[in-house]
Amino acid sequence: MADTVTPKPTACLALADGTIFYGNGFGAYGETVAELCFNTAMTGYQEIMTDPSYAGQIVTFTFPHIGNTGVTPEDDETADPVAAGMVVKWDPTLASNWRATEELKDWLTRTNRIAIGGVDTRRLTRAIRQLGAPHVALAHDPDGNFDIEALVAKAREWSGLEGLDLAKDVTCTQSYRWDEMRWAWPEGYTRQEDPKHKVVAIDYGAKRNILRCLASAGCDVTVLPASATAEDVLAHSPDGVFLSNGPGDPAATGEYAVPMIKEILDTTDLPMFGICLGHQMLALALGGKTVKMNHGHHGANHPVKENATGKVEITSMNHGFAVDGQSLPDGVEETHVSLFDGSNCGIRISDRPVYSVQHHPEASPGPQDSFYLFERFAEAMAARKSA
C-alpha cells in the first residue's frame, strides 16, 4: 500500500500563553495580531466581519458552516471587513445562495483578511471562556513555514484593547447625509423621501443598518466624525442626537467624546439615543464607569430583560467592555440587563428622553424585538417639537 501524506498546515494561530492551533489557511497571506473572541451567531458572518466594532479582534465562529452562503455587497455594514481575521471549524464550501455575488475565500483575499479553517473551535471557545480573551497572532503561509517562537512573542508583546481608542481609526473623515432605509422584499433598499426629524449621528464606527433603521423611523440623518464637537453638532439644528456603536476601550474614546456629550446635555433638551459604544459614552458622560469583560458578549441569541416591563428581548451583542451598573449616579436608571450574567444593557435619565442600550436593535435577531427603541427616539423628537 502506498504511503499516505498528511497535508502540511498552511495557517497557524498562536496564543500568548504558547498554545498553538494549526489549520488550513484561506483569504490573504501574511500575519496579523489581535485579541481573539468568539461569536455564537448561526448567520451573519459577513455583517460580523464588516462591523467596525470588531476592529482589533479576530473572530472565532462557533457555528461550523461559515461561507456557504457566500457574500453580497448588500450585507456589508461598512465598505470592507474590519475584523482582523477569522477562525472556523470547517473550510468554507462553495457558496449556495441566490444573493451571493462572491465566494467568501475570494472576498477575504481581495480585502486582505486572513482566515484559518480546520480548527477545533469548541476547544478554542472553551479556553476563551475560562481564561479570557487572549492576545493572538494569526499567520497564513501557503508553504506552511512558521516561526512559532516569533508568533508567540508577537502575541505576548501586543498591547491589547485596554486604553486603545479605535473609534478614530474607523470613523468617517467628513460628514455625510444618509437616507437609505431597511431592506424589504421585494423592493430591497429604498430611500426615505419624507423625513420628519433631523438627527445628527456621531460615528464611532457606525453600522450601516443602524443608519437605515434611523431613516426607516422617519429621520433625516447627518453623520459626523467621532471627533465632532458640540458646536459641530448644534450647527445642524438637530431634533435629536444619536451615538453609534464602535470598537476599542470606551474610556479612551471618552477623552474627547464625553466632553461633547456633556455639553449637549447641559445646554440643550435634545433627545439622545446611544447603542453599544455610544451607550458606554453616554454612561461615562453621566458619571458612570466601564469595565473590561472576561470574554465579552458576541452573538445573536442573547436574552435581555427590560426592567420596566419585564419583557425579554432576543438580541444581538458585540462588546468586550460593559457599563458598571453599580456606578450609575442618582437620576440615571438601569433599564435593561443581560439574563446571561446580569450585566448592564441599558440606561436612561429618569426625567429626560436620553437613553442607550448595549445590544444591537438594528441587527434584528428577534427579529423585531428591539426596533421599538428607534421608534421611541422618533416619538421623543416629535413630542419635543409639539411641546
Side-chain angles (χ1 to χ4, degrees):
M1 179 181 292
D3 293 336
T4 58
V5 178
T6 303
K8 193 174 184 180
T10 56
C12 171
L13 179 69
L15 278 60
D17 68 359
T19 304
I20 307 297
F21 290 82
Y22 292 100
N24 307 313
F26 57 97
Y29 300 142
E31 298 177 2
T32 187
V33 182
E35 179 182 274
L36 184 68
C37 67
F38 65 87
N39 190 297
T40 59
M42 296 176 67
T43 61
Y45 56 81
Q46 184 181 344
E47 291 93 328
I48 291 166
M49 291 297 293
T50 56
D51 179 352
S53 296
Y54 279 105
Q57 293 180 300
I58 293 170
V59 184
T60 299
F61 289 87
T62 62
F63 187 68
H65 299 285
I66 300 299
N68 56 350
T69 56
V71 296
T72 172
E74 286 191 338
D75 291 345
D76 285 341
E77 290 291 358
T78 193
D80 290 309
V82 180
M86 170 185 285
V87 181
V88 299
K89 180 175 178 58
W90 293 338
D91 295 345
T93 57
L94 292 177
S96 178
N97 185 280
W98 65 275
R99 296 178 65 237
T101 61
E102 193 173 9
E103 298 290 341
L104 174 62
K105 292 181 178 181
D106 297 335
W107 180 69
L108 291 171
T109 301
R110 178 173 58 80
T111 56
N112 197 35
R113 286 297 182 270
I114 301 172
I116 180 173
V119 172
D120 184 349
T121 53
R122 289 176 65 89
R123 178 189 168 199
L124 189 55
T125 298
R126 189 178 301 115
I128 297 171
R129 287 180 60 88
Q130 292 174 349
L131 304 175
H135 299 174
V136 301
L138 175 61
H140 177 198
D141 180 347
D143 297 323
N145 298 319
F146 304 108
D147 185 337
I148 300 301
E149 289 187 5
L151 289 173
V152 172
K154 289 177 181 179
R156 289 175 177 169
E157 292 167 2
W158 189 61
S159 61
L161 296 181
E162 289 190 78
L164 198 59
D165 172 28
L166 291 175
K168 68 180 188 305
D169 297 332
V170 298
T171 187
C172 59
T173 56
Q174 59 186 14
S175 65
Y176 62 93
R177 298 282 293 278
W178 185 277
D179 63 359
E180 185 176 82
M181 298 194 295
R182 292 187 299 168
W183 195 94
W185 177 264
E187 296 88 358
Y189 294 122
T190 56
R191 301 289 176 181
Q192 173 57 266
E193 298 179 349
D194 186 28
K196 302 295 192 297
H197 316 292
K198 291 178 63 177
V199 169
V200 166
I202 308 300
D203 176 16
Y204 301 120
K207 294 172 64 178
R208 290 175 176 173
N209 216 41
I210 288 179
L211 303 179
R212 294 187 187 108
C213 286
L214 289 169
S216 293
C219 300
D220 175 4
V221 184
T222 298
V223 184
L224 298 185
S227 59
T229 64
E231 183 179 3
D232 296 332
V233 172
L234 298 178
H236 292 273
S237 301
D239 300 314
V241 177
F242 175 78
L243 309 173
S244 88
N245 64 293
D249 188 337
T253 303
E255 291 292 327
Y256 55 86
V258 164
M260 179 275 290
I261 297 170
K262 281 185 175 180
E263 185 172 343
I264 290 177
L265 292 175
D266 291 343
T267 60
T268 78
D269 63 347
L270 291 173
M272 186 177 289
F273 174 30
I275 290 175
C276 190
L277 183 61
H279 162 67
Q280 297 161 359
M281 290 299 95
L282 179 61
L284 291 174
L286 294 174
K289 297 179 180 179
T290 57
V291 295
K292 182 77 165 68
M293 305 175 76
N294 180 62
H295 56 271
H297 289 168
H298 309 277
N301 57 347
H302 287 247
V304 168
K305 184 176 76 171
E306 184 181 30
N307 291 334
T309 63
K311 183 181 75 170
V312 176
E313 306 165 32
I314 300 303
T315 74
S316 176
M317 285 195 179
N318 169 29
H319 60 107
F321 293 81
V323 172
D324 179 0
Q326 301 301 312
S327 70
L328 299 174
D330 292 341
V332 179
E333 301 176 8
E334 184 173 67
T335 59
H336 297 73
V337 294
S338 166
L339 293 186
F340 278 162
D341 59 12
S343 61
N344 174 268
C345 291
I347 61 172
R348 75 178 185 98
I349 296 181
S350 303
D351 57 355
R352 294 177 60 178
V354 174
Y355 64 97
S356 60
V357 292
Q358 183 65 70
H359 52 281
H360 283 265
E362 85 290 340
S364 304
Q368 304 297 328
D369 289 14
S370 302
F371 187 71
Y372 72 90
L373 292 162
F374 294 99
E375 297 171 332
R376 182 179 291 174
F377 186 43
E379 291 166 0
M381 290 186 285
R384 177 177 177 272
K385 286 189 287 187
S386 64

